[in-house]
Amino acid sequence: MSSKYKSLKEECYEANMQLNALDLVVYTFGNVSAVDRENGVFAIKPSGVAYENLRPEDIVILDYDNNIVEGKMRPSSDTKTHSYLYKNWDDIGGIAHTHAKFSCAWAQAQQDVPIFGTTHADHLTADIPCAPPMSDELIKGNYEHNTGIQILDCFKDKNLSHNEVEMILIGNHGPFAWGKNAAKAVYNSKVLEVVAEMAYLTLQINPNAQRLKNSLIKKHYERKHGKNAYYGQ
Amino acid sequence: MSSKYKSLKEECYEANMQLNALDLVVYTFGNVSAVDRENGVFAIKPSGVAYENLRPEDIVILDYDNNIVEGKMRPSSDTKTHSYLYKNWDDIGGIAHTHAKFSCAWAQAQQDVPIFGTTHADHLTADIPCAPPMSDELIKGNYEHNTGIQILDCFKDKNLSHNEVEMILIGNHGPFAWGKNAAKAVYNSKVLEVVAEMAYLTLQINPNAQRLKNSLIKKHYERKHGKNAYYGQ
Amino acid sequence: MSSKYKSLKEECYEANMQLNALDLVVYTFGNVSAVDRENGVFAIKPSGVAYENLRPEDIVILDYDNNIVEGKMRPSSDTKTHSYLYKNWDDIGGIAHTHAKFSCAWAQAQQDVPIFGTTHADHLTADIPCAPPMSDELIKGNYEHNTGIQILDCFKDKNLSHNEVEMILIGNHGPFAWGKNAAKAVYNSKVLEVVAEMAYLTLQINPNAQRLKNSLIKKHYERKHGKNAYYGQ
Amino acid sequence: MSSKYKSLKEECYEANMQLNALDLVVYTFGNVSAVDRENGVFAIKPSGVAYENLRPEDIVILDYDNNIVEGKMRPSSDTKTHSYLYKNWDDIGGIAHTHAKFSCAWAQAQQDVPIFGTTHADHLTADIPCAPPMSDELIKGNYEHNTGIQILDCFKDKNLSHNEVEMILIGNHGPFAWGKNAAKAVYNSKVLEVVAEMAYLTLQINPNAQRLKNSLIKKHYERKHGKNAYYGQ
């Protein structure tokens, strides 16, 4: 595979294979993309290809207007959601979409995932937002492009920053997550699934469980992400 | 193994082994068959043989009237259900039966699996039907044959097409799924289990969760199965 | 290892290792025994030995009065329950005890596992019995011996046959299962766990789920265990 | 790696890797330490290092006042909790902290894990305590040090001995466990998770499940830990 986008494709390929290894997808139910900001293109999984058959050279390269730049396969059916996010959020480097079960269950229940503990607060200070389902008008239109709009609208309505909250649930559908690169987007997808499961179990044990108090939210988030962070190397 | 049905047996064998790999069965609790329409025969797992001991040459070949055409072993105890479906639905190529836990739990609860999200709508537009238990008369009679009748009756009562809905739950028993070949029948068994688990979790989070709205059901099903489908290669 | 009981020890060893492979135990929380009726002895796991360290030669041989016949290690702390059952039920060949989670949960809930479906009826026609906790008097006494009494009392009270119902839950404790040999006892332990999980899920979906009707119980049990059984080879 | 603390680092390394193997953590969400009482130091995982990249030489050595004695990496962000416990409980040899899901769910629900069965009583005679969340004052202060105080306060309030109860849940956060060495601390973390899951399932089956009666608690604990214990070799 000789290509200007070889390393981009490999980044994208590796991240897609991680979805499978982390038990976030079955069959072809998910996709990850990685962006190359310098060249204004992104790499994404081809549509409907099983992970065990996927090869780095199968990854499709597109520009932000969804024109195929390189690749013989049809890109993920969710491609237009990815491109819309890359176009509007110029500081993200990767996006992941899965059908992980606890994430999907909260999306199907049309509920935000409440922040109940430090596992959640280590990653974000807000409840994980669940975007309300799209209007019938938008569904019949440019659906995947409109899913991008739906995500941005939800962040605007809830006054959230996509740099602080790197994940969302699409009502009745499932999760999208993003980050500085494709690997980080997959990481956030896994964090979302873990936090979604813990919140589920918490409410089963105690339907009146209280949201984590602000002082503790702040402490855990700041020690990992604040200017005086002391987590990690 | 020299046999006119060598490749049919291998298709059937591979599909049966997938049940195990996909965590849809324990021990011998399941069976898959594959049909050869040209020769009017189907291949099915022998009864009560553990997956780790199963070999392609153990697969039994029968005609649609349940006469053994080739094979030394006793065929699956559910054989007559398979033959009944092959006889009545001449466009299916494979059938799978499992005792996967979420599928069986819904069957034991005697409830259809409601369509709550796009994971479900990517595969079918209806709730996954649960056939009501058989009458005592039919149970005491030709039970496995009557299970076939029970399946067709349920599809007639609910006005469903077996081409659009490729799966069913038998009340108090468990799931059957089918498709164009044995691998697709197994795929549908796994999809059913995943969707059944997500629906379970959804109702635990929100007992008043709403069915997916029609516009979204249609959109997701059509993008994968409609005449302008753009999913897959 | 040269011993008169070499094959008995190996049967016992293999069955113990299966507990682990079938995800029925963590650490040392379980034990399996195998009996040699001709010589009036049984083989059992040594107490507190981790499965990854267990070797066939570590298995302990005892007579029905709990005297060590061969072996340098201390036998399972539950040994006296096993010997009591072997003494009183002269037609069983193996016994298994686990702390599998769904089996233990039903035991801790002090409820019989209701027969909700055919997965259950393929193996037994009754609810899986849960023995009420022992009296304080018996607990303070010869506890493990008295656990054997507790099991027999429960079968008498509920008018059950140990040949038809090869498993029990001890209230607040966990499951015991038995069978014609040690491998069958382990098989029954796994069946119990699977059925216990399905019953759990069924009641979560439908708290008013109905017990399987008698005609279907009979049909499924008979096709596998009746005099005209047609399941298996 | 030539170091006075080579074997201490290896003990700590092995115990940290066990967290992963026992499915108690994802990513870097956990840490284990091991103490060397003679030299007055303890070894702990470096902060934010993924288990697949962790090497024995990465382990950090500190004294009880949190001064780094050996090691180039930043120690776990929870280091001060570990040192506080080592300082105050001079008879423990290892500490483990995880984000295991059932343990965290009970912590997030802010409830003690009730003693429902013998799996629990084999290890401790009390409910597993859940420490109430810290005051805002303490959270803003020396948080990880104060977590140590929070643990000791909870044991004092509930009149528990850290030799008999080797585990705790920190409200809204997650579990800490300890023991005579690092491996035992990890063992106790796994026991806590298993017991937490069983208690969860028990209450789902029977919301009115009763606490284990005292005679049975005592019997099971004593046969494993009493002066006449007969469990193990």
Side-chain angles (χ1 to χ4, degrees):
Chain A
M1 173 169 84
S2 147
S3 158
K4 180 176 175 179
Y5 305 114
K6 187 166 186 281
S7 72
L8 183 67
K9 286 182 186 175
E10 280 168 357
E11 181 194 347
C12 178
Y13 167 78
E14 293 296 343
N16 271 287
M17 295 308 282
Q18 275 298 306
L19 286 192
N20 213 17
L22 291 165
D23 202 21
L24 294 171
V25 292
V26 291
Y27 294 122
T28 62
F29 305 1
N31 46 73
V32 189
S33 66
V35 80
D36 171 348
R37 290 288 177 190
E38 207 174 319
N39 289 297
V41 298
F42 66 99
I44 197 164
K45 186 180 170 290
S47 181
V49 175
Y51 291 98
E52 64 266 30
N53 300 330
L54 188 66
R55 300 167 309 167
E57 56 264 41
D58 298 332
I59 301 296
V60 187
I61 305 291
L62 302 105
D63 65 22
Y64 304 156
D65 295 323
N66 304 303
N67 300 303
I68 293 184
V69 172
E70 197 174 293
K72 299 199 188 82
M73 303 186 93
R74 182 189 285 175
S76 165
S77 57
D78 295 310
T79 294
K80 289 180 184 171
T81 310
H82 292 245
S83 62
Y84 188 84
L85 295 183
Y86 284 129
K87 217 169 184 168
N88 284 276
W89 292 342
D90 60 13
D91 49 5
I92 63 169
I95 300 168
H97 170 52
T98 81
H99 282 246
K101 62 192 178 187
F102 285 96
S103 303
C104 283
W106 281 95
Q108 293 188 162
Q110 294 194 29
Q111 295 191 2
D112 297 352
V113 180
I115 182 167
F116 283 133
T118 61
T119 318
H120 188 136
D122 281 337
H123 297 93
L124 69 165
T125 63
D127 294 350
I128 297 167
C130 180
M134 234 180 257
S135 72
D136 287 359
E137 211 59 47
L138 291 176
I139 290 169
K140 281 175 200 150
N142 198 350
Y143 175 65
E144 291 83 7
H145 176 85
N146 294 341
T147 301
I149 295 177
Q150 184 185 18
I151 293 172
L152 264 73
D153 282 353
C154 175
F155 268 62
K156 197 184 294 170
D157 289 352
K158 294 184 181 254
N159 200 26
L160 297 173
S161 154
H162 74 274
N163 297 120
E164 288 171 12
V165 177
E166 297 186 317
M167 55 190 73
I168 192 171
L169 301 173
I170 308 294
N172 291 128
H173 185 164
F176 278 85
W178 49 88
K180 64 179 176 184
N181 55 35
K184 192 68 197 306
V186 170
Y187 172 90
N188 284 329
S189 300
K190 181 68 180 181
V191 166
L192 167 46
E193 180 68 3
V194 167
V195 167
E197 180 170 8
M198 282 184 189
Y200 170 89
L201 296 174
T202 300
L203 286 175
Q204 296 289 314
I205 296 171
N206 182 0
N208 301 313
Q210 296 298 303
R211 236 175 141 269
L212 192 59
K213 61 183 177 172
N214 284 328
S215 55
L216 207 45
I217 292 177
K218 200 177 160 190
K219 178 67 197 177
H220 267 263
Y221 189 73
E222 296 285 323
R223 76 174 192 165
K224 239 182 147 166
H225 306 280
K227 68 168 190 268
N228 296 314
Y230 49 94
Y231 185 92
Q233 299 300 323
Chain B
M1 175 170 83
S2 146
S3 159
K4 180 176 176 179
Y5 304 114
K6 187 165 185 283
S7 72
L8 183 66
K9 287 182 186 176
E10 280 167 359
E11 180 195 348
C12 178
Y13 167 78
E14 293 295 343
N16 272 287
M17 295 307 283
Q18 274 298 305
L19 285 192
N20 212 18
L22 290 165
D23 202 21
L24 294 170
V25 290
V26 291
Y27 293 121
T28 61
F29 306 0
N31 45 72
V32 189
S33 66
V35 80
D36 171 347
R37 291 290 178 188
E38 207 172 319
N39 290 297
V41 297
F42 66 100
I44 196 164
K45 184 178 172 293
S47 181
V49 175
Y51 291 99
E52 64 263 32
N53 300 330
L54 189 65
R55 300 167 309 167
E57 56 265 40
D58 297 332
I59 301 295
V60 187
I61 306 291
L62 302 105
D63 65 24
Y64 305 158
D65 294 323
N66 305 303
N67 301 302
I68 294 184
V69 172
E70 196 174 294
K72 299 199 188 80
M73 303 186 92
R74 184 190 283 176
S76 164
S77 56
D78 295 310
T79 293
K80 289 180 184 171
T81 310
H82 291 245
S83 62
Y84 188 84
L85 295 181
Y86 284 130
K87 215 168 184 170
N88 283 276
W89 293 341
D90 62 12
D91 48 6
I92 64 170
I95 300 168
H97 170 52
T98 81
H99 281 245
K101 61 191 178 187
F102 286 95
S103 304
C104 283
W106 282 94
Q108 293 188 161
Q110 294 194 31
Q111 295 190 1
D112 296 353
V113 181
I115 182 166
F116 283 133
T118 60
T119 317
H120 188 137
D122 281 338
H123 297 93
L124 68 164
T125 63
D127 295 349
I128 297 167
C130 180
M134 233 181 256
S135 72
D136 288 359
E137 210 59 49
L138 291 177
I139 290 169
K140 281 175 202 152
N142 199 350
Y143 176 65
E144 291 82 8
H145 176 86
N146 293 343
T147 301
I149 296 177
Q150 184 186 17
I151 292 172
L152 263 74
D153 281 353
C154 175
F155 267 62
K156 197 184 293 170
D157 288 352
K158 295 186 180 254
N159 200 26
L160 298 172
S161 154
H162 74 273
N163 298 119
E164 289 171 12
V165 176
E166 296 184 318
M167 56 191 72
I168 192 171
L169 301 173
I170 307 295
N172 290 128
H173 185 162
F176 278 85
W178 49 87
K180 65 179 175 187
N181 54 35
K184 192 66 196 309
V186 171
Y187 172 90
N188 284 330
S189 300
K190 181 70 180 180
V191 166
L192 167 45
E193 180 68 3
V194 168
V195 167
E197 180 171 8
M198 282 185 189
Y200 171 89
L201 296 174
T202 300
L203 286 175
Q204 296 289 315
I205 296 172
N206 182 0
N208 301 313
Q210 297 298 302
R211 237 175 140 269
L212 192 59
K213 61 183 180 173
N214 284 328
S215 55
L216 207 45
I217 292 176
K218 198 177 162 191
K219 177 68 197 177
H220 267 261
Y221 190 75
E222 295 286 321
R223 78 174 190 164
K224 239 179 147 168
H225 307 278
K227 69 169 190 265
N228 297 314
Y230 50 94
Y231 184 93
Q233 300 299 325
Chain C
M1 177 170 79
S2 145
S3 157
K4 180 175 174 180
Y5 304 113
K6 187 164 185 281
S7 73
L8 183 66
K9 287 182 186 177
E10 280 168 358
E11 181 194 348
C12 178
Y13 167 78
E14 293 297 343
N16 272 286
M17 295 308 283
Q18 275 298 305
L19 285 192
N20 213 18
L22 290 166
D23 202 20
L24 294 172
V25 290
V26 291
Y27 293 121
T28 60
F29 307 0
N31 45 72
V32 188
S33 66
V35 80
D36 171 347
R37 291 289 177 189
E38 206 173 320
N39 290 295
V41 297
F42 66 100
I44 197 164
K45 186 179 169 294
S47 181
V49 175
Y51 291 98
E52 63 265 31
N53 300 329
L54 188 65
R55 300 168 307 167
E57 57 264 38
D58 298 332
I59 301 296
V60 188
I61 305 291
L62 302 105
D63 65 24
Y64 303 158
D65 294 322
N66 305 302
N67 301 303
I68 295 185
V69 172
E70 195 174 293
K72 299 201 189 78
M73 304 187 91
R74 184 188 285 175
S76 166
S77 56
D78 295 311
T79 294
K80 289 180 186 172
T81 311
H82 292 245
S83 61
Y84 188 85
L85 296 181
Y86 284 130
K87 215 168 184 170
N88 283 275
W89 293 342
D90 62 11
D91 49 5
I92 63 169
I95 300 169
H97 170 53
T98 80
H99 282 245
K101 61 191 178 187
F102 285 96
S103 304
C104 283
W106 282 94
Q108 293 188 161
Q110 293 192 29
Q111 294 190 1
D112 296 352
V113 180
I115 182 165
F116 282 134
T118 60
T119 318
H120 189 136
D122 280 338
H123 298 92
L124 68 166
T125 62
D127 295 350
I128 297 166
C130 179
M134 234 180 257
S135 71
D136 288 358
E137 211 58 48
L138 291 176
I139 290 169
K140 281 174 202 154
N142 198 351
Y143 176 64
E144 292 81 8
H145 176 86
N146 293 342
T147 301
I149 295 177
Q150 185 186 19
I151 293 172
L152 261 73
D153 280 354
C154 176
F155 267 61
K156 198 185 295 173
D157 287 353
K158 294 184 180 256
N159 199 25
L160 297 173
S161 153
H162 73 274
N163 297 120
E164 287 172 13
V165 177
E166 297 185 317
M167 55 190 74
I168 193 172
L169 301 172
I170 308 293
N172 290 129
H173 186 162
F176 278 84
W178 50 87
K180 66 178 174 187
N181 55 35
K184 192 68 198 306
V186 171
Y187 173 91
N188 283 330
S189 300
K190 181 69 180 180
V191 166
L192 167 46
E193 180 67 4
V194 167
V195 167
E197 180 169 8
M198 282 185 187
Y200 171 90
L201 296 173
T202 300
L203 286 175
Q204 296 289 315
I205 296 171
N206 182 359
N208 301 313
Q210 296 299 302
R211 232 174 145 270
L212 191 61
K213 60 182 179 173
N214 284 329
S215 55
L216 208 43
I217 292 176
K218 198 176 161 192
K219 179 67 197 178
H220 268 263
Y221 189 75
E222 296 286 322
R223 77 175 189 163
K224 242 181 145 167
H225 307 277
K227 68 169 192 264
N228 297 313
Y230 49 94
Y231 185 92
Q233 300 300 322
Chain D
M1 175 168 82
S2 146
S3 157
K4 180 175 174 179
Y5 305 113
K6 188 166 186 279
S7 73
L8 184 66
K9 287 183 186 176
E10 279 168 358
E11 181 195 347
C12 178
Y13 167 79
E14 293 297 343
N16 272 286
M17 296 308 283
Q18 275 299 305
L19 285 192
N20 212 18
L22 290 166
D23 204 21
L24 295 171
V25 292
V26 292
Y27 295 120
T28 62
F29 307 0
N31 45 72
V32 189
S33 66
V35 80
D36 172 348
R37 290 288 176 189
E38 206 173 322
N39 289 297
V41 298
F42 66 99
I44 196 164
K45 186 179 170 293
S47 180
V49 175
Y51 291 97
E52 63 265 31
N53 300 330
L54 188 65
R55 300 167 308 168
E57 56 265 39
D58 298 333
I59 300 297
V60 187
I61 305 291
L62 302 105
D63 65 22
Y64 303 158
D65 295 322
N66 304 302
N67 300 303
I68 294 184
V69 172
E70 196 174 292
K72 300 202 187 78
M73 304 187 91
R74 182 188 284 175
S76 165
S77 58
D78 294 310
T79 294
K80 289 180 184 171
T81 310
H82 292 245
S83 62
Y84 188 85
L85 296 183
Y86 284 130
K87 217 170 183 167
N88 283 276
W89 292 341
D90 60 12
D91 49 5
I92 63 169
I95 300 169
H97 170 52
T98 81
H99 282 244
K101 62 192 178 187
F102 285 95
S103 303
C104 284
W106 282 95
Q108 294 189 161
Q110 294 192 27
Q111 294 189 2
D112 298 352
V113 181
I115 183 166
F116 282 134
T118 60
T119 318
H120 189 135
D122 280 337
H123 297 92
L124 68 165
T125 62
D127 294 350
I128 297 167
C130 180
M134 234 180 258
S135 72
D136 288 359
E137 211 59 47
L138 292 176
I139 290 169
K140 282 175 200 151
N142 197 352
Y143 176 64
E144 291 82 7
H145 177 85
N146 294 342
T147 301
I149 296 177
Q150 184 185 18
I151 293 172
L152 263 72
D153 281 354
C154 175
F155 268 60
K156 199 183 294 172
D157 288 352
K158 293 183 182 255
N159 199 24
L160 297 172
S161 153
H162 73 274
N163 296 120
E164 287 171 14
V165 177
E166 298 186 316
M167 55 190 73
I168 192 172
L169 301 173
I170 308 294
N172 290 129
H173 185 162
F176 279 85
W178 49 88
K180 65 179 177 187
N181 54 35
K184 192 68 198 307
V186 171
Y187 172 90
N188 283 329
S189 300
K190 181 68 180 181
V191 166
L192 167 46
E193 180 67 4
V194 168
V195 167
E197 179 169 8
M198 282 184 188
Y200 170 90
L201 296 174
T202 300
L203 286 175
Q204 296 289 314
I205 295 171
N206 181 0
N208 301 313
Q210 296 299 303
R211 232 174 145 270
L212 191 59
K213 60 182 178 172
N214 284 328
S215 55
L216 208 44
I217 291 177
K218 200 176 162 192
K219 177 68 198 176
H220 267 263
Y221 189 74
E222 296 286 323
R223 77 174 191 165
K224 242 183 145 166
H225 307 278
K227 67 171 192 265
N228 297 313
Y230 50 93
Y231 185 91
Q233 298 301 322

